[in-house]
Amino acid sequence: DIVMTQSPSSLAVSAGETVTINCKSSQSLFGSVRQKNYLAWYQQKPGQSPKLLIYLASTRESGVPDRFIGSGSGTDFTLTISSVQAEDLANYYCQQYYDTPWTFGGGTKLELK
Amino acid sequence: QVKLLQSGAALVKPGASVKMSCKASGYTFTDYWVSWVKQSHGKSLEWIGEIYPNSGATNFNEKFKGKATLTVDKSTSTAYMELSRLTSEDSAIYYCTRATTVAPDYWGQGVMVTVSS
């Protein structure tokens, strides 16, 4: 199975700050056929289902604010949230869908400082 | 719009089974795989498996083979997951998701399963 290692596990921020969440996979998620990285980012607020933010490592899902930026390739990926808003306080997960079983990172809890 | 409506919470005894549903609407049910994901309390997410409604083909996480059974009813656009021989380790929230070629995009609201005597 592909192991997804996410860091940090928690992050305390002030509104307006820029934050970076890292995700490392145990093998490359780059698919040679489509020339894309099969990596997604999700946001999960308490009591809610995960919400897709980013897919193919850097493509924002429709309706997601442009302050959410996904980057990276191969085995190293980053989710950057610029100018954090109070509504962004949540848990964030990376997920690989390069190969089954799909696997998720352990999550990053974004909290208010 | 796309919606996945899951059945309600379940309280079940150890050793019993539970079957939950996921009713899809707003898209052609048979065109997309439906995946199931487990989230234990306060923890991360685990992929259980997936089913292709058009053919009934399934893929499973080895960890959940023998534990989960996936089926569909195309006439009602509903996917089902049955969990058997329940233990306390199976207490969790279970989500169904619509799986596309780029990512699982839509998620159901989740079903909380509590295993307790």
Side-chain angles (χ1 to χ4, degrees):
Chain A
D1 298 2
I2 297 175
V3 177
M4 305 299 289
T5 304
Q6 205 173 321
S7 63
S9 57
S10 66
L11 200 49
V13 299
S14 300
E17 286 186 12
T18 294
V19 301
T20 298
I21 300 170
N22 301 297
C23 179
K24 188 175 184 66
S25 57
S26 61
Q27 66 185 74
S28 176
L29 305 182
F30 186 76
S32 56
V33 173
R34 296 185 68 176
Q35 297 287 296
K36 299 286 186 181
N37 289 279
Y38 290 85
L39 186 282
W41 289 98
Y42 295 89
Q43 175 193 68
Q44 187 179 33
K45 296 182 179 180
Q48 296 185 17
S49 310
K51 173 190 172 184
L52 178 64
L53 296 176
I54 304 283
Y55 59 91
L56 294 175
S58 60
T59 303
R60 261 188 304 275
E61 175 74 331
S62 175
V64 173
D66 59 8
R67 63 178 181 273
F68 291 91
I69 301 166
S71 62
S73 184
T75 61
D76 292 281
F77 301 90
T78 299
L79 175 68
T80 300
I81 311 172
S82 58
S83 190
V84 168
Q85 310 287 301
E87 67 204 50
D88 300 335
L89 301 180
N91 287 302
Y92 292 85
Y93 297 94
C94 60
Q95 183 223 347
Q96 67 82 17
Y97 49 98
Y98 177 85
D99 193 18
T100 57
W102 299 347
T103 46
F104 295 82
T108 296
K109 186 173 184 178
L110 198 60
E111 301 173 296
L112 201 58
K113 190 180 290 182
Chain B
Q1 69 278 32
V2 173
K3 287 188 178 179
L4 297 171
L5 184 62
Q6 297 187 244
S7 47
L11 172 62
V12 291
K13 295 189 185 307
S17 298
V18 66
K19 189 172 185 178
M20 63 192 75
S21 64
C22 171
K23 183 171 175 58
S25 61
Y27 72 98
T28 303
F29 181 60
T30 50
D31 284 353
Y32 296 84
W33 289 79
V34 174
S35 283
W36 293 84
V37 176
K38 176 184 180 182
Q39 186 169 37
S40 301
H41 181 65
K43 295 188 178 179
S44 187
L45 302 147
E46 290 183 280
W47 181 76
I48 296 170
E50 61 185 355
I51 184 166
Y52 190 55
N54 198 31
S55 64
T58 56
N59 294 305
F60 284 95
N61 185 336
E62 284 292 326
K63 179 179 177 180
F64 292 94
K65 282 185 178 177
K67 169 63 68 176
T69 301
L70 304 181
T71 55
V72 296
D73 181 344
K74 289 190 284 187
S75 69
T76 61
S77 298
T78 302
Y80 297 91
M81 179 171 70
E82 183 171 18
L83 301 173
S84 60
R85 298 182 301 278
L86 292 167
T87 72
S88 59
E89 294 296 307
D90 298 314
S91 293
I93 297 175
Y94 293 88
Y95 296 100
C96 62
T97 81
R98 186 182 80 159
T100 72
T101 55
V102 293
D105 53 2
Y106 289 91
W107 294 57
Q109 83 277 18
V111 173
M112 180 176 289
V113 173
T114 303
V115 182
S116 175
S117 55

